[in-house]
Amino acid sequence: MPDHRRLGRELDLFDTDPLMGAGLPYWLPDGALVRHTLEEYIREAERRAGYRHVYSPALGKRELYEISGHWDHYSDDMYPPMKLGAEEVVLRPSLCPHHALIYRSRSHSYRELPLRIAELGGMHRAELSGVLGGLTRVRAIQLNDAHIFCTLDQAVDEARAALELIARAYADLGIEAVRHRLSLPGEGGKYVADPELWRRATELLREVLDASGVVYEEAEGEAAFYGPKIDVQISDPAGRESTLSTVQIDFHQPARFDLHYIGADGAKHRPVMVHRSIIGSVERAVAHLVEAHAGAFPAWLAPVQLMVLPVAEEQEEQAAAVVRQALQLGLRAELAGPAEGTLGARIRAARLVPYQAVIGAREAGAGLAAVRLRDGRRPGALPVPDLLAAISARVAARGTALWD
């Protein structure tokens, strides 16, 4: 059964060191490449959907989290404050207070709404040592987060569009959602005491789910402290379920931060804040991808997309030229020559690489490459430009298909 902790080390994706600390993994070159590709994919998808990206610091004054409600309702999961002169600063557990301040820094007209602010930003959770594991539970998190500031009339459409973004990303990544959950407050939790807020937000999220046509279940005790949320649930190979993506409609923080926009009537109005995350934390997303694909990532996400295999030393020059052409096209290609073992051994060593191009004497003389796909198919010998064009097209199309 695939375990991302074992595979991550075998594939040289990530590792840990006790001097860095538990729950603080570091990324090796191939893992960093997967992470970077995933992050760029998310940024591109968000840009196409009308989001504007920002950067905000991973620290904030304690007062910021007192205003947002995190200090009263979430401080058990936060790091202790650090004294800086007369001030106390905290490693942030969430990006939403920072985005509320970014919105509040400028006046806004109703004509600007919806305003979609996105960030791949760092946050920190003081997880106990006993629950830490690989990339799924860590103390330093890179979160794919966004907040949409909109009118009440726009909130349902914006939340529904966020669910569509999530579904598209899952299709491209080869991720399957096992269910959608409407997460509601439970007994005894540290929730914001505002029954009307909870009622309004819950009604809107039910409308979002109904309009999206997805089957969902309601679960008490799983809400955020400030409101209900839609959780997109995934499952690992052992059947353990977790939340990867979320969509929330928030009336609480716009009120806490006194956010407003100028309406068509010239008066101030309170915006609604839609929180959404397409893939949640990058760490958990990569952990799930490693296990879901057993290390055989979709071609567009694979650390090495093309392995070029000369049969003998006489073909190494032609093979190196193919690698150079592939690199010029933006593909991630490497050469595995005869010095690394027999052809069979090299093919087996590259079994997780989506595409293999074998070049023997016949292929070298004709400018061809014998193509082998990771799934065992052999499309035959193709002219090198045609092969590279076909791979480039599949990579650009994203998704999980290897060949048209």
Side-chain angles (χ1 to χ4, degrees):
M1 185 177 297
D3 184 320
H4 83 277
R5 292 167 295 185
R6 175 181 57 81
L7 278 171
R9 287 169 173 82
E10 288 178 3
L11 301 176
D12 286 334
L13 300 178
F14 68 90
D15 212 330
T16 58
D17 190 292
L19 283 178
M20 290 189 188
L24 298 169
Y26 58 85
W27 297 78
L28 295 162
D30 278 356
L33 198 154
V34 171
R35 171 174 166 167
H36 178 79
T37 304
L38 181 60
E39 290 176 350
E40 282 305 299
Y41 166 80
I42 291 298
R43 288 192 184 98
E44 180 187 339
E46 289 172 336
R47 284 193 294 266
R48 290 197 307 265
Y51 288 81
R52 304 187 71 184
H53 290 91
V54 298
Y55 288 107
S56 58
L59 289 168
K61 291 174 65 173
R62 172 175 165 170
E63 181 184 358
L64 171 61
Y65 305 106
E66 290 174 344
I67 294 172
S68 70
H70 285 83
W71 194 254
D72 287 340
H73 299 93
Y74 202 74
S75 58
D76 289 347
D77 295 300
M78 296 172 63
Y79 283 91
M82 294 174 280
K83 283 279 190 181
L84 289 179
E87 296 180 346
E88 288 187 332
V89 296
V90 183
L91 286 166
R92 68 177 172 192
S94 174
L95 277 66
C96 42
H98 293 251
H99 289 187
L101 293 183
I102 289 173
Y103 176 88
R104 197 175 72 176
S105 69
R106 303 287 188 274
S107 62
H108 299 281
S109 162
Y110 71 97
R111 295 185 179 90
E112 298 174 62
L113 306 184
L115 179 62
R116 306 179 186 99
I117 293 176
E119 181 175 4
L120 274 156
M123 65 180 197
H124 297 77
R125 302 274 173 90
E127 301 278 10
L128 299 176
S129 298
V131 302
L132 299 172
L135 296 177
T136 54
R137 292 293 289 270
V138 293
R139 288 171 169 164
I141 301 164
Q142 193 74 8
L143 186 67
N144 158 231
D145 206 8
H147 298 91
I148 305 162
F149 300 90
C150 61
T151 68
L152 181 60
D153 290 342
Q154 295 167 334
V156 168
D157 284 344
E158 289 298 314
R160 183 175 52 79
L163 279 181
E164 291 173 358
L165 267 180
I166 292 167
R168 174 58 191 271
Y170 280 27
D172 286 345
L173 291 163
I175 293 175
E176 181 179 353
V178 295
R179 67 186 177 114
H180 289 69
R181 184 178 74 191
L182 178 57
S183 296
L184 303 172
E187 296 294 330
K190 289 186 175 182
Y191 300 108
V192 170
D194 190 331
E196 178 60 15
L197 175 156
W198 288 95
R199 184 192 66 77
R200 292 172 68 201
T202 301
E203 285 181 357
L204 289 174
L205 288 180
R206 286 199 181 104
E207 187 178 341
V208 171
L209 287 162
D210 292 340
S212 299
V214 298
V215 177
Y216 66 94
E217 303 169 12
E218 298 188 3
E220 294 186 356
E222 300 293 342
F225 73 82
Y226 51 82
K229 57 194 175 90
I230 297 170
D231 289 325
V232 184
Q233 301 296 104
I234 57 171
S235 178
D236 70 11
R240 294 182 293 261
E241 191 175 296
S242 60
T243 301
L244 188 62
S245 312
T246 61
V247 179
Q248 305 166 49
I249 292 179
D250 180 8
F251 295 103
H252 170 71
Q253 292 197 60
R256 297 281 290 191
F257 285 98
D258 192 25
L259 306 184
H260 64 266
Y261 65 90
I262 305 301
D265 58 358
K268 290 183 177 180
H269 298 268
R270 184 84 68 211
V272 177
M273 193 173 176
V274 177
H275 305 236
R276 58 105 286 229
S277 182
I278 298 175
I279 58 164
S281 80
V282 173
E283 290 80 7
R284 178 169 291 183
V286 172
H288 184 70
L289 286 165
V290 170
E291 294 185 347
H293 298 294
F297 295 105
W300 64 272
L301 196 58
V304 179
Q305 295 164 328
L306 172 65
M307 187 66 75
V308 184
L309 305 158
V311 173
E313 291 182 5
E314 291 76 15
Q315 291 90 50
E316 284 203 58
E317 185 177 336
Q318 290 91 335
V322 173
V323 170
R324 289 193 295 271
Q325 292 173 56
L327 294 174
Q328 287 296 312
L329 292 172
L331 297 174
R332 298 187 286 272
E334 293 184 2
L335 185 148
E340 298 178 37
T342 66
L343 180 61
R346 286 178 279 146
I347 288 171
R348 288 190 296 274
R351 65 191 181 281
L352 297 180
V353 176
Y355 307 101
Q356 297 178 6
V358 179
I359 301 178
R362 185 178 68 86
E363 289 82 14
L368 303 174
V371 186
R372 302 173 64 102
L373 305 184
R374 181 175 57 200
D375 59 14
R377 285 180 289 166
R378 299 188 185 186
L382 295 177
V384 169
D386 293 352
L387 169 61
L388 297 183
I391 295 174
S392 296
R394 281 304 333 152
V395 168
R398 308 267 172 41
T400 57
L402 286 178
W403 203 253
D404 290 332

